[in-house]
Every structure is written in C-alpha cells, then in structure tokens.
Amino acid sequence: EVQLVESGGGLAQPGGSLRLSCATSGFTFRSSEVNWVRQAPGKGLEWISYISMSGTTTHYADSVKGRFTISRDNVKNSLYLQMNSLRAEDTAIYYCASASLLGNNYGYRYWGQGTLVTVSS
Amino acid sequence: DIQMTQSPSSVSASVGDRVTITCRASQDISSWLAWYQQKPGKAPKFLMSAETSLQSGVPSRFSGSGSGTDFTLTISSLQPEDFATYYCQQTNTFPQAFGQGTKVEVK
C-alpha cells in the first residue's frame, strides 16, 4: 500500500521557521519526482515546489522562492520542506505529492493526507 | 507563467446528469494536463492525465479530452460520490499551476 505521511506542521510566528517531513512507503521513492502543494483555508490548490529523483534539480513558486527549501533523503524515503521567514499568507494545509514512475509530466499520482501550518502571532 | 482557467467555478447537478468541466491554458501545453478530484477534508485524488487517460480504479464515467490550450473533463452520469471539487493542472512547465477549481454541487 502506498503511503505518504506528512508531519511537522503547527503554529509558527511570523518570521519564524518550520520543517515539514513526508515519510513514504509502498512505492519506489528514489525513482519518483516529488512535489509540495499547499491549500489555504477555503482556497484552491497551489503548487509550491518540486525536486528531481536525485535531488539535483529543484523548482519553486515565486511565492516561496528564497524562503523555502525542498530536499529529500532517498535512503530514508523521505521528503522535506524547510520553511523560513514565514508569513501569514503561508497558512495552509501542505501536501506532499509524488508522480508515478512515468514522471511529473503525467500528474501527481500519490498524495499525503496533509499537515496544517498556521502562521500567526 | 502559464495560467489555468476552469469553467464553470461551480455547477449544480443531479444524479444521472452529464457534467462537463472546461479547463483553458494561457498557452499551448500539448497534452500535459492532469485532473484531480477533492472532497471536503480530504487530499486531492489523481483522476487522469491527458497523456495516459484514466488512473486505475477511476470509474469509466469519467473521461477527458483536449490538447493545446483547451481541455474538458466529462462525467457521463453523475453519481452521489462524484459531488466534489475538480481541479485541472498543467504539467508542461514549472510552475505547474492548478486551475481554480470547479465545485460540483447537488441541485
């Protein structure tokens, strides 16, 4: 059974930091491109970051560029998102989402259940 | 960046109705488009990509078509479990933007 389990969300102050983790199992993580997608309360889906299978290529949405860093550990089958300089508008549910072995172009086949990040003083 | 526009934003329909959702890209994305279903309080669920059609386990009443800039998702006979919000996403280039969503509601 494929599982993606996010953790690390919670309450953070504006300007603060959080590190999200996504533990995966049931599929070949090291051969999968993976992403972070977020959803603000009552809003739509927003793609925010991508990392290649090897971790050498990353992409970010303009809204998080320079503040968030995506990384992965293919030994631990885990994905991470280091979130710095947090703003109120970063408040959202954060999902990790993996492409199938066909690649990111074919859509995000597997999703975690999400972890809620709230940025507030 | 490529912008994705879905229409309508919401649709009221009854069980058994045919529902069509349109997604338009601001530039040519070939067939690099995916569709997702999301129910309240749940993670999105991958339905299909324009390249590979239906994900395994997705009912055949769901179908997708289109290429270039115009795409459609059709539910041929709406079932009770299909009331949800549907999103398209371009997977051609980064940022891989989503449409704003189409909520399929009970009429």
Side-chain angles (χ1 to χ4, degrees), chain A residues 2-53:
Chain A
V2 170
Q3 286 196 316
L4 294 85
V5 180
E6 301 94 338
S7 60
L11 179 64
Q13 292 199 333
S17 298
L18 281 176
R19 187 189 193 218
L20 305 184
S21 299
C22 174
T24 75
S25 62
F27 68 105
T28 311
F29 178 76
R30 66 181 181 276
S31 299
S32 301
E33 299 170 280
V34 283
N35 306 266
W36 287 99
V37 176
R38 70 183 180 184
Q39 186 169 36
K43 303 297 184 182
L45 301 173
E46 179 188 14
W47 171 87
I48 57 169
S49 190
Y50 158 92
I51 190 165
S52 62
M53 289 179 279

Side-chain angles (χ1 to χ4, degrees), chain B residues 8-88:
Chain B
S9 295
S10 65
V11 57
S12 297
S14 301
V15 172
D17 285 353
R18 181 183 183 89
V19 173
T20 298
I21 298 168
T22 297
C23 179
R24 176 164 288 176
S26 60
Q27 57 186 271
D28 188 341
I29 58 169
S30 185
S31 294
W32 299 120
L33 185 100
W35 289 100
Y36 304 87
Q37 176 193 66
Q38 188 179 32
K39 296 181 178 179
K42 300 294 187 182
K45 174 186 174 182
F46 175 66
L47 292 178
M48 70 184 74
S49 79
E51 275 291 318
T52 59
S53 297
L54 276 177
Q55 165 76 326
S56 173
V58 175
S60 59
R61 61 182 179 272
F62 289 91
S63 63
S65 64
S67 66
T69 61
D70 294 313
F71 301 84
T72 59
L73 174 70
T74 299
I75 310 171
S76 60
S77 178
L78 197 67
Q79 297 301 301
E81 59 269 30
D82 301 336
F83 291 100
T85 300
Y86 293 85
Y87 294 92
C88 64

Side-chain angles (χ1 to χ4, degrees), chain A residues 35 37 39 43-47 50 59 62 95 102 104-109 111-113, chain B residues 1 32 34 36 38 42-44 46 49 51-52 55 87 89 91-92 94-96 98 100:
Chain A
N35 306 266
V37 176
Q39 186 169 36
K43 303 297 184 182
L45 301 173
E46 179 188 14
W47 171 87
Y50 158 92
H59 294 287
D62 286 346
Y95 296 102
L102 293 174
N104 236 46
N105 288 133
Y106 293 84
Y108 304 168
R109 183 174 182 182
W111 293 71
Q113 84 290 348
Chain B
D1 295 356
W32 299 120
Y36 304 87
Q38 188 179 32
K42 300 294 187 182
F46 175 66
S49 79
E51 275 291 318
T52 59
Q55 165 76 326
Y87 294 92
Q89 181 200 22
T91 56
N92 184 58
F94 291 101
Q96 294 187 332
F98 292 87
Q100 81 278 16

